[in-house]
Amino acid sequence: MNFKKIYGLILGVIVAGLTSCSSDLNNEEKAPVGPNETAVRSLSIATGDAKTRSEVNIDAGNKWVAGDRFMAFNRTFTGSSSESRYGVLTASSTGTRTTLDGVIACKDNDELGIFYPGSYVTGFDQGKMPVVMTKSYINSNKGQDGSKENLKYFDYSYGKGKVTVNGASASGSVDMKKLYSVLELDFTAGGVKLTNIKKLVLSNVYTEAVYNIPNNKLEDYETGAINVNSPVALEKVYVAILPQNHFSPTFEVYTADNKAYRFTVNDPNFNLVAAKVYPITVAVKEFTPNPPYIEIDGIRWGKYNLQYTPNSKTVGWKDGYHLAKNPWDYFYTESSPMNLEPNVVKFPSSNADNAKFDHFRWGDISKAHSFAYDDKDHYDTSVENIEKKNSNNEYGDIAYYASKGDWRLPNAAEFESLMKNTTEYIGYYPSEAGDVLGVLFVPDGVAHGKIIGKNGQVVGNSNENKNISGFSGKNYRTSTIVRKFTAEEISKGIFFPATGTFTNYSSGPTNLNNAGRMGYYWTADCFNATQAKSFTFQFTANGRVMFATVGNSRADDIFPPKNNMYSIRPIYIGQ
């Protein structure tokens, strides 16, 4: 990204004079107070309804407004503990110069640190002031809206000055400077300027800090995202932002026509400094916000399992088919996953050919979701990989067919790539329906190709046909291997829930096998006419954890029968 020439100071230097004041004594006599003695010096001018803001104009100068409030902190205070070394001062008039009224203990030549906006802040040491760029500490948590007018709500300023005591009065001056910068942003897509911007998300930037008045510095920085939401469509976006070295943000732009664009600075060789305006043109590219996949080693792995719901319609999918709402969702969730007998209500087979279901036979298209007894042998008997295959809408890749070509079954090599290029974690997610055990693969760079336990220990290698003692009995929650996942943790990787299998074809009521304890997911690869390869893992009733593997037979080349109904986690191949 090329930055244009920076122009001018945002506000320059604003001088605010400290008004003279008389001493405030505790007795009725007007006893003299020496200039080198610390005394509470009360400023004489008061104001009415304080507005606590300044007028910010990056084109035509700026001014303080009567009622603006400042925090003053005496940095060289030598008074008693009963006297306050800080106080709130109020601007008495509007203009580029103003006087400040208030009360503070001081003596001759004391140095005052001044901060705007000033007020007593609950939860902070007085003298340590919050500087928040996501919501306005100045104006009732108002957010940034991208306009010039909105900048005044983030007008954090600081300065210092010395007081001169003359008998019972004191005076001085302070040079106020700005703690923040302003980005003046234009966006183009394909060389065309965007003129209908409704929202900007600026991430990997400082969102807040604390200004330490005694030490005259910003500290305790927090990094995150600034959300800029405009009530009107914008051609240019103004953002107040804290200075930052090696500035490397991501810009996400959302327009009034429901399009989204993104650009990330990958070469952080630029430093933002305070009190500058940076006019920047950012060339963005259109993207899909919150895509239903995560790209790992060039493969866009879906976050959700394939499901079938009768009579449902989802854009881009054949009637009935869709992706699960959450990564941990599966139909007929087992509420107590370590029970040998399922707690779920057994579902009748009378409507088995058109019930909601998310387990499928290998290579079946026309009857893929049916668990009716008469359909148990309806599968593809070919001995070839079935990626993107569609044989007369009868046999082939159900994910490819159901998604109209945007998704497909992964092959065994792609599962191997997933495990090689991620860190594997074993755990559970506490869903509303019950704990959902599973495995999570995260491209976090921690220990790719390894399984990491709850305490950060290496448990083993991914894709090894091994098992270990994971917990005692059914107490997986106390395990040193099985961790409790949050939704945020799961959002950063690919989570496979232990959804069980379906093999109990029956003319009467039936149920899933090992729901909540065992995960089987089909690949597009087969072994022979009746057997195919799967990705699998499980938690046994005696507390052992069987590692996730792909393509491994149980013994003597016994691969899963194609008429077993397993889950499907598709990969995205659309545009």
Side-chain angles (χ1 to χ4, degrees):
M1 180 171 65
N2 295 321
F3 290 88
K4 295 181 179 178
K5 183 179 179 181
I6 304 167
Y7 60 91
L9 292 176
I10 175 175
L11 293 177
V13 176
I14 297 175
V15 179
L18 296 176
T19 65
S20 299
C21 57
S22 60
S23 61
D24 183 14
L25 302 178
N26 292 327
N27 55 42
E28 295 181 356
E29 298 180 12
K30 298 298 183 182
V33 178
N36 294 318
E37 295 179 64
T38 299
V40 175
R41 304 183 188 276
S42 179
L43 303 181
S44 58
I45 303 175
T47 60
D49 185 18
K51 298 180 180 178
T52 317
R53 84 281 190 278
S54 65
E55 294 294 341
V56 177
N57 190 318
I58 66 174
D59 298 319
N62 311 274
K63 61 184 179 182
W64 300 112
V65 174
D68 282 344
R69 301 173 67 192
F70 301 71
M71 174 62 76
F73 188 96
N74 190 337
R75 290 175 176 160
T76 52
F77 180 77
T78 57
S80 68
S81 59
S82 63
E83 295 174 312
S84 177
R85 66 189 300 173
Y86 53 82
V88 174
L89 310 180
T90 305
S92 62
S93 60
T94 297
T96 57
R97 293 173 178 265
T98 187
T99 55
L100 305 180
D101 301 335
V103 174
I104 195 168
C106 61
K107 67 179 185 302
D108 192 50
N109 210 39
D110 271 351
E111 180 179 288
L112 301 184
I114 309 293
F115 177 83
Y116 174 83
S119 67
Y120 296 108
V121 184
T122 302
F124 284 80
D125 292 337
Q126 307 311 319
K128 291 190 175 182
M129 311 300 294
V131 179
V132 183
M133 310 311 292
T134 54
K135 55 186 180 181
S136 175
Y137 164 65
I138 299 172
N139 186 45
S140 304
N141 294 328
K142 183 180 180 67
Q144 297 207 44
D145 69 10
S147 67
K148 288 183 183 179
E149 294 74 20
N150 184 255
L151 295 175
K152 67 185 179 185
Y153 299 122
F154 300 86
D155 186 32
Y156 300 99
S157 307
Y158 71 103
K160 67 179 180 178
K162 292 188 175 182
V163 298
T164 300
V165 172
N166 183 12
S169 64
S171 62
S173 64
V174 58
D175 291 339
M176 297 299 292
K177 301 177 181 179
K178 299 304 171 185
L179 279 170
Y180 63 102
S181 307
V182 169
L183 302 181
E184 182 183 287
L185 301 171
D186 290 291
F187 294 93
T188 62
V192 178
K193 179 178 171 62
L194 299 180
T195 60
N196 58 346
I197 299 167
K198 294 285 289 183
K199 180 179 180 179
L200 167 67
V201 179
L202 191 59
S203 57
N204 196 33
V205 298
Y206 291 145
T207 55
E208 59 184 277
V210 173
Y211 178 66
N212 187 320
I213 303 180
N215 296 333
N216 188 29
K217 67 176 184 178
L218 282 170
E219 58 191 20
D220 298 335
Y221 290 92
E222 293 191 15
T223 301
I226 297 174
N227 286 273
V228 181
N229 294 284
S230 175
V232 297
L234 299 174
E235 294 186 11
K236 191 182 297 287
V237 181
Y238 293 89
V239 184
I241 191 168
L242 290 173
Q244 185 172 352
N245 291 336
H246 308 296
F247 188 55
S248 54
T250 291
F251 300 87
E252 289 186 4
V253 180
Y254 300 85
T255 54
D257 56 354
N258 296 318
K259 292 184 178 181
Y261 304 85
R262 177 190 287 154
F263 178 79
T264 298
V265 177
N266 293 315
D267 186 18
N269 59 2
F270 184 78
N271 297 334
L272 282 182
V273 298
K276 299 284 186 180
V277 177
Y278 293 89
I280 304 170
T281 298
V282 185
V284 292
K285 292 184 178 180
E286 191 171 356
F287 81 105
T288 301
N290 301 316
Y293 59 81
I294 294 178
E295 186 167 331
I296 300 171
D297 194 33
I299 302 164
R300 292 178 288 185
W301 280 94
K303 297 179 182 179
Y304 317 101
N305 282 355
L306 180 65
Q307 294 187 320
Y308 176 82
T309 302
N311 304 316
S312 70
K313 295 182 181 294
T314 302
V315 175
W317 292 82
K318 294 287 188 178
D319 287 356
Y321 288 99
H322 56 90
L323 296 176
K325 183 179 179 181
N326 298 298
W328 51 84
D329 285 350
Y330 66 98
F331 292 143
Y332 314 109
T333 301
E334 173 55 58
S335 60
S336 182
M338 296 310 298
N339 281 349
L340 287 174
E341 292 296 328
N343 282 342
V344 296
V345 176
K346 291 188 175 183
F347 36 93
S349 59
S350 58
N351 196 35
D353 60 344
N354 197 35
K356 67 176 186 179
F357 214 50
D358 49 10
H359 292 66
F360 308 91
R361 277 178 298 279
W362 191 89
D364 192 354
I365 288 180
S366 65
K367 300 181 179 182
H369 56 81
S370 172
F371 54 89
Y373 181 83
D374 291 343
D375 295 330
K376 66 183 179 67
D377 292 322
H378 193 271
Y379 56 82
D380 193 329
T381 59
S382 65
V383 293
E384 60 187 6
N385 175 289
I386 58 170
E387 290 173 32
K388 301 193 291 186
K389 177 181 177 180
N390 182 354
S391 179
N392 298 319
N393 295 340
E394 189 75 13
Y395 300 107
D397 184 341
I398 181 59
Y400 186 75
Y401 165 81
S403 67
K404 302 180 181 180
D406 282 340
W407 299 80
R408 67 166 173 81
L409 278 165
N411 57 50
E414 288 165 334
F415 271 104
E416 292 172 357
S417 172
L418 174 67
M419 290 184 274
K420 178 181 177 182
N421 292 284
T422 58
T423 306
E424 181 180 347
Y425 302 94
I426 299 169
Y428 68 94
Y429 177 77
S431 77
E432 292 182 0
D435 289 349
V436 178
L437 288 156
V439 291
L440 175 65
F441 297 91
V442 185
D444 54 12
V446 172
H448 287 183
K450 302 289 184 180
I451 304 169
I452 301 299
K454 183 190 294 185
N455 300 319
Q457 77 275 24
V458 175
V459 175
N461 296 319
S462 297
N463 201 28
E464 277 193 328
N465 196 10
K466 293 183 177 180
N467 67 86
I468 60 172
S469 178
F471 45 90
S472 175
K474 301 177 181 179
N475 299 318
Y476 55 86
R477 289 190 174 192
T478 61
S479 168
T480 60
I481 296 173
V482 181
R483 65 178 64 202
K484 180 181 179 181
F485 295 131
T486 66
E488 182 179 2
E489 288 171 331
I490 288 177
S491 71
K492 297 176 182 178
I494 303 300
F495 178 70
F496 293 90
T499 57
T501 68
F502 182 86
T503 60
N504 296 334
Y505 292 99
S506 171
S507 58
T510 186
N511 56 265
L512 295 175
N513 298 328
N514 298 302
R517 295 198 299 114
M518 184 180 296
Y520 271 85
Y521 289 76
W522 281 128
T523 76
D525 297 319
C526 70
F527 180 67
N528 56 33
T530 60
Q531 297 170 309
K533 296 181 179 181
S534 66
F535 165 79
T536 183
F537 59 90
Q538 66 175 287
F539 304 83
T540 67
N542 61 358
R544 301 197 70 81
V545 177
M546 301 184 71
F547 293 169
T549 60
V550 65
N552 293 313
S553 61
R554 296 196 302 272
D556 299 325
D557 291 332
I558 300 176
F559 284 87
K562 291 180 177 180
N563 70 348
N564 283 359
M565 300 186 78
Y566 292 168
S567 300
I568 288 178
R569 178 59 58 88
I571 61 175
Y572 185 69
I573 59 174
Q575 301 300 316

